[in-house]
Amino acid sequence: MTDQLVKALAFNDQIRVMAVDTTQTVQEAHQRHDTWSNASAALGRTLTGALLLASGMDSDDQLTVRIQGNGPLGQMIVTANGHGQVKGYVEQPHVSLPLNDWGKIDVFGAVGNQGSLSITKDMGMEEPFTGQVPLISGEIAEDFTYYLAQSEQIPSAVALGTLVDTDESIKRAGGWMIQVLPFAEDAVIERIEQAVKEIAQVTELLEDGLDPRGMIEKLLGAENVRFLDDYPVEFACDCTKERFQAGLHSLPKDQLTPLIEEDHGAEVTCQFCGKKYTFTEDELRAIQSA
């Protein structure tokens, strides 16, 4: 069964809500990058958050999330589009710290709480829009919530979770996002705030067998929800050898000389998916002479 994202409105269309199961998507990222527990949890939350934010965009539009904290993970970069495709990587994938005081994976300790979260949206206009906020938590979900309130002026609540199994595989991953629309009544907002306080963690909901629809109904009450759309999500990278060849073309010619004369070829690795592309000595000579 493929991962799924569900979109809905609630309380007479005063509330917008999305929920997603990203278990297989995050597992794919884990396998491609050989992430250890803390890196898996942080990258999984970021992949999930990016998909939730991109769900409000057109299918051809995309956004890029950059999280740079002062923790051992270094930088995380994730790109998602409105079609349900996401890719991403963490600078230091081999991070595994002791559990925190609550017996959970220490995402805060791995990410750090000093740094920034920036989101760049490319919607086919002349210039992409970029918003940036300081990290306030390092737990990812709270940082996304803060970004939406500060940079986009949208009162929101974001919950993200990644449950890593004892063998480092991804047992469960997913999240939900609630956004308060401008005409929402105070009574509805109070109900939402209470529901957010009372709902179990995302991974607990998934462990209980709830799918994204079930999470939304559990959160807001089935009788209050009007479902709009659902679609599959996946880890997908659009890298090609032609793109890397274009990158080599942009290098100064003298930088290709040692690759040709000393290495007799080059291997380029995509940071987002780990796929490797090989360029022979003859191919590099052709690029250099073009």
Side-chain angles (χ1 to χ4, degrees):
M1 186 175 179
T2 58
D3 289 342
Q4 204 80 7
L5 187 146
V6 174
K7 299 162 64 174
L9 293 171
F11 296 102
N12 295 318
D13 299 352
Q14 298 178 64
I15 301 296
R16 182 165 53 216
V17 58
M18 307 85 162
V20 64
D21 183 339
T22 54
T23 302
Q24 294 181 51
T25 301
V26 178
Q27 171 65 11
E28 178 80 9
H30 157 66
Q31 291 177 327
R32 287 179 178 271
H33 299 300
D34 187 33
T35 51
W36 294 0
S37 59
N38 291 74
S40 294
L43 181 59
R45 292 183 187 184
T46 308
L47 290 164
T48 302
L51 281 168
L52 289 169
L53 264 66
S55 68
M57 304 173 71
D58 291 338
S59 59
D60 292 332
D61 298 340
Q62 71 174 23
L63 60 79
T64 298
V65 178
R66 290 178 176 83
I67 296 178
Q68 178 68 65
N70 62 340
L73 287 181
Q75 182 174 233
M76 285 188 293
I77 298 182
V78 169
T79 296
N81 60 33
H83 195 57
Q85 296 175 323
V86 67
K87 61 181 181 180
Y89 69 92
V90 57
E91 188 175 0
Q92 299 296 333
H94 293 163
V95 176
S96 186
L97 304 177
L99 299 177
N100 62 23
D101 294 340
W102 297 274
K104 305 290 186 181
I105 292 176
D106 189 3
V107 174
F108 156 74
V111 175
N113 67 342
Q114 294 182 22
S116 63
L117 180 154
S118 68
I119 296 179
T120 300
K121 292 185 175 182
D122 186 350
M123 296 179 285
M125 304 174 74
E126 287 188 11
E127 292 291 334
F129 164 80
T130 298
Q132 180 173 304
V133 295
L135 291 177
I136 61 163
S137 163
E139 292 285 346
I140 311 297
E142 292 90 339
D143 299 297
F144 273 114
T145 299
Y146 184 70
Y147 167 84
L148 288 166
Q150 295 297 313
S151 186
E152 300 194 6
Q153 310 295 308
I154 304 174
S156 308
V158 181
L160 307 168
T162 304
L163 182 61
V164 181
D165 214 337
T166 54
D167 64 355
E168 296 283 358
S169 66
I170 306 304
K171 195 172 184 181
R172 296 283 186 271
W176 52 258
M177 179 171 68
I178 293 176
Q179 296 185 320
V180 178
L181 297 178
F183 49 87
E185 300 168 357
D186 290 343
V188 170
I189 296 174
E190 290 176 6
R191 290 184 66 174
I192 296 301
E193 290 173 344
Q194 191 62 33
V196 169
K197 290 179 183 178
E198 296 175 353
I199 193 73
Q201 292 186 350
V202 169
T203 51
E204 292 179 21
L205 298 175
L206 293 169
E207 281 280 84
D208 288 341
L210 295 182
D211 59 9
R213 281 178 174 259
M215 284 196 287
I216 291 174
E217 291 176 344
K218 181 79 172 179
L219 181 61
L220 300 178
E223 70 280 4
N224 301 314
V225 176
R226 181 169 70 90
F227 290 103
L228 300 176
D229 190 20
D230 63 85
Y231 54 86
V233 300
E234 63 176 347
F235 189 101
C237 189
D238 55 355
C239 67
T240 62
K241 186 172 181 176
E242 288 72 23
R243 287 193 177 186
F244 283 106
Q245 182 172 319
L248 292 172
H249 270 291
S250 68
L251 293 176
K253 303 297 185 183
D254 59 349
Q255 290 189 19
L256 296 176
T257 300
L259 298 176
I260 295 169
E261 297 181 355
E262 299 173 20
D263 300 335
H264 306 290
E267 184 178 79
V268 183
T269 302
C270 176
Q271 286 185 298
F272 283 102
C273 70
K275 189 172 181 179
K276 299 180 186 299
Y277 295 93
T278 301
F279 291 87
T280 66
E281 183 178 344
D282 288 341
E283 287 175 317
L284 291 177
R285 288 189 186 281
I287 292 170
Q288 190 180 49
S289 61

